[in-house]
Amino acid sequence: MLRMILLVAIGWIAGLSARTLLPGKGPDGFWLTTGIGVGGAILAVVVGRLAGWWHPGDAPGFMLSLVGAIMLLALYRVLRTKTTA
């Protein structure tokens, strides 16, 4: 249970950091920001495992989670502008 709470907290911080580093229109609210951050961490884990950087059970670290969150935020903006245009 504590691990899930930590995942949400770190995801929220990574999502907020991604929104700060990539200013502009983005997802508003706690849950979407957290989802972007958690998704970035999951993306970092998947890419790291496929590249052979770490093994199951290893954590990607905050910086790679932030990079993943920035990538997801950019993708969110591209998809969001295409559906509203």
Side-chain angles (χ1 to χ4, degrees):
M1 181 70 177
L2 182 62
R3 190 175 192 142
M4 291 300 291
I5 294 171
L6 218 65
L7 176 69
V8 170
I10 290 172
W12 181 62
I13 293 169
L16 280 178
S17 300
R19 284 180 47 191
T20 302
L21 293 174
L22 198 64
K25 193 92 169 135
D28 292 326
F30 173 77
W31 293 110
L32 284 175
T33 302
T34 303
I36 293 286
V38 171
I42 292 170
L43 181 65
V45 167
V46 169
V47 169
R49 284 187 189 163
L50 289 175
W53 295 335
W54 49 77
H55 303 289
D58 292 345
F62 180 74
M63 293 307 288
L64 285 177
S65 298
L66 179 60
V67 170
I70 289 172
M71 291 170 54
L72 286 180
L73 181 59
L75 180 68
Y76 173 86
R77 289 181 182 170
V78 167
L79 294 176
R80 184 73 178 173
T81 56
K82 287 190 182 209
T83 57
T84 59

